[in-house]
Amino acid sequence: MSFHLYDSATRAVRPFVPLVPGAVSVYHCGLTVQSSPHLGHIRKEVVFDVLRRWLSFSGYQVKVVANVTDIDDKILEKSAAAGVEWYAHAYRFERELHDAYAALGCLPPTYEPRATGHIPEMIELIAALIDRGHAYAAPDGSGDVYFDVVSWPAYGELSGQKVDEMEAATDADPRGKRDPRDFALWKGHKPTEPDTASWPSPWGRGRPGWHIECSAMAGKYLGDEFDIHGGGIDLRFPHHENELAQSRAAGRPFARYWMHNGWVTAAGEKMSKSLGNGALVSEVVKKYPARAVRLYLLAPHYRSSVEFSNTSLDEASAQLARIDSFLKRAGELTAGWFAFAPQESLPAEFARAMDDDLGTPGAMAVLFGTIKQGNVAIEAGEVDAAKRASAAVVSMLDVLGLNPASEPWTGAASSGGDLVPVVDGLVEALLTQRQEARARKDYAAADAIRDQLKALGLKIEDTPAGARWTLED
Ligand code: ZN
């Protein structure tokens, strides 16, 4: 089976046929850098990282462009409230975003354009839309330019809505709109906004609307037509609908497949900042191994929602421990043979699951099934079978970005120094002694060990899966 992908535009799983044979171009909408990234934001990065790894593994040359929205209403509001320059505010959270996706083992995109670096391309596109009769400068002197929704009969094709049934676009003051559903391509400068947040244009000083930036940047780096356009499901409307309309109305065929990932939910609701800081990537990776967090985000199918809970992160940590303990045992039995795992080791069943719309749940089942067989082989001392299983497991982990011996995880370990595994081993040994002391009801000895570890700055938590240690904040 070749790669098949669910296309949000046609609402069907379709065989994937790239525009240029052997090459894939992907654009996914990056973050508006207005606050610290939480798991809901970062799931998209992990999903598209797995897509990219799978397509590369399948032999495609993959080019990924993911933008950074570094100017918009929220950035202006929040920076003003914080009393910092809007660009300093945006840049700070852009760095946090980079830290977050590096922490979870996501490869950086081929290129990451910033909206503010592409104002001329946006102006060019807006001018083309005005020429073609699909956009207009507001007659009220505000300097706004709007897309004329009624002039584009296909509007609504992506999200399956009829224009007549749509609500007003709330992205701008309806200062000079012909129709409330028209959306802003360009926003005239307001005296209340900093001068630095405006650029010259044929319609006066101002700044771009949100949607136009992606059409302009995707066009610049991937061409008028490209393969996959993605983002979180909440972007399908209005953001992607508007990107599609304005690109096609300007004569560009635009994306061939639309790929949207589901939300991370908390108590069934879309995760957002209002839920507090507990789900910030920077916080979660302090409590759980980063590879476990990645595993937790990629194991469910990308189109389904992932419910946030400590229980599921604990489960992912336990799954990761199963993987690593298998690799350790297999490494001991086969003298590290799997480090040279050939690509052909990837199980066909795993490939089938991944080819079927990036079916990670099926792929994970093959992974854990292979680990189980491998453990049986290790128990029985069957070296060849253990080699086969470990090579297969390592290939699968490579595709999922979870191989502890591959970048970026090797880099991550060495940046903490080679002491990390040593410390880990010593703490584990102490925890085992403490466990043994408790088992013989020598609570004084057990508490003494805990206090000793605490004095070293380690926090011990007893979980159903055993004691876990973390460094205290
Ligand atoms: Zn976008």
Side-chain angles (χ1 to χ4, degrees):
M1 180 175 166
S2 60
F3 187 52
H4 282 56
L5 185 63
Y6 179 86
D7 176 17
S8 295
T10 54
R11 290 174 168 66
V13 175
R14 298 201 280 131
F16 178 69
V17 183
L19 186 61
V20 178
V24 182
S25 46
V26 182
Y27 185 96
H28 54 91
C29 296
L31 285 193
T32 299
V33 281
Q34 47 146 329
S35 57
S36 299
H38 56 61
L39 290 180
H41 297 127
I42 219 66
R43 183 182 183 198
K44 192 260 307 178
E45 307 296 338
V46 172
V47 162
F48 282 88
D49 188 61
V50 172
L51 171 78
R52 176 209 197 137
R53 286 171 188 264
W54 179 238
L55 291 173
S56 301
F57 193 91
S58 306
Y60 290 106
Q61 203 66 42
V62 189
K63 181 171 170 183
V64 180
V65 174
N67 65 297
V68 169
T69 299
D70 59 345
I71 179 80
D72 92 324
D73 293 351
K74 280 185 189 148
I75 291 173
L76 291 176
E77 274 164 33
K78 289 191 175 177
S79 59
V84 294
E85 302 281 9
W86 64 272
Y87 45 83
H89 183 90
Y91 184 50
R92 173 188 159 193
F93 291 110
E94 181 183 321
R95 292 197 311 274
E96 283 198 17
L97 171 66
H98 288 163
D99 290 347
Y101 66 60
L104 296 191
C106 298
L107 304 165
T110 314
Y111 189 52
E112 194 175 44
R114 288 187 188 137
T116 52
H118 297 78
I119 308 284
E121 288 82 355
M122 299 180 213
I123 290 176
E124 208 174 9
L125 181 55
I126 296 169
L129 287 167
I130 294 178
D131 278 354
R132 287 169 168 252
H134 294 300
Y136 59 93
D140 62 355
S142 60
D144 292 353
V145 180
Y146 294 106
F147 184 84
D148 187 347
V149 165
V150 176
S151 78
W152 187 247
Y155 190 76
E157 61 185 316
L158 180 62
S159 51
Q161 303 182 75
K162 293 199 174 68
V163 175
D164 292 346
E165 294 160 7
M166 277 181 201
E167 292 187 10
T170 53
D171 62 334
D173 284 350
R175 293 189 282 194
K177 286 188 183 186
R178 284 184 193 158
D179 186 294
R181 293 160 300 192
D182 293 351
F183 58 89
L185 299 170
W186 187 258
K187 298 181 172 188
H189 181 64
K190 295 184 185 127
T192 49
E193 292 176 357
D195 286 344
T196 48
S198 71
W199 290 261
S201 85
W203 316 285
R205 286 195 77 84
R207 58 185 170 93
W210 172 32
H211 317 297
I212 196 72
E213 64 177 75
C214 289
S215 291
M217 291 187 279
K220 175 162 179 132
Y221 299 105
L222 300 177
D224 287 353
E225 186 174 10
F226 58 94
D227 296 309
I228 301 172
H229 193 321
I233 186 67
D234 45 331
L235 294 189
R236 191 170 63 178
F237 186 86
H239 183 54
H240 286 165
E241 188 73 73
N242 293 351
E243 281 188 39
L244 178 64
Q246 70 207 0
S247 299
R248 291 226 170 129
R252 304 176 180 186
F254 214 51
R256 293 159 66 86
Y257 296 81
W258 290 87
M259 180 176 166
H260 291 110
N261 63 275
W263 288 338
V264 175
T265 54
E269 300 285 321
K270 180 190 169 191
M271 178 173 281
S272 71
K273 308 169 288 307
S274 55
L275 295 164
N277 289 339
L280 292 181
V281 179
S282 55
E283 292 300 316
V284 176
V285 296
K286 279 184 202 159
K287 284 168 70 184
Y288 298 92
R291 283 166 63 236
V293 180
R294 183 178 169 99
L295 176 74
Y296 155 79
L297 289 173
L298 66 75
H301 193 266
Y302 76 87
R303 283 197 278 132
S304 56
S305 352
V306 173
E307 175 69 11
F308 174 70
S309 72
N310 287 323
T311 317
S312 23
L313 280 158
D314 283 336
E315 279 164 15
S317 303
Q319 286 183 317
L320 184 73
R322 264 168 72 199
I323 295 171
D324 287 351
S325 109
F326 167 73
L327 290 177
K328 188 163 171 272
R329 295 176 73 204
E332 283 160 6
L333 184 67
T334 65
W337 182 85
F338 59 73
F340 310 102
Q343 233 192 15
E344 308 83 80
S345 310
L346 195 80
E349 249 184 295
F350 179 93
R352 257 197 302 280
M354 293 298 281
D355 270 340
D356 184 8
D357 191 27
L358 220 60
T360 50
M364 296 300 287
V366 179
L367 173 71
F368 285 106
T370 311
I371 288 175
K372 200 169 167 189
Q373 288 166 7
N375 279 325
V376 171
I378 291 168
E379 295 291 342
E382 292 166 4
V383 177
D384 284 345
K387 277 184 178 178
R388 276 196 303 277
S390 55
V393 166
V394 168
S395 304
M396 292 186 269
L397 293 177
D398 266 331
V399 167
L400 300 171
L402 289 170
N403 181 2
S406 280
E407 290 288 344
W409 308 114
T410 43
S414 66
S415 73
D418 292 337
L419 279 174
V420 172
V422 178
V423 173
D424 214 354
L426 289 172
V427 176
E428 288 303 326
L430 282 169
L431 287 176
T432 307
Q433 285 182 22
R434 174 171 166 260
Q435 197 52 43
E436 284 164 4
R438 291 172 100 197
R440 61 173 190 267
K441 299 198 162 37
D442 184 353
Y443 296 113
D447 288 351
I449 293 173
R450 189 199 56 209
D451 293 345
Q452 228 176 342
L453 289 169
K454 196 169 163 26
L456 291 169
L458 303 178
K459 194 164 77 187
I460 310 302
E461 274 176 90
D462 289 302
T463 74
R468 192 170 60 210
W469 68 273
T470 45
L471 285 172
E472 299 234 54
D473 293 353

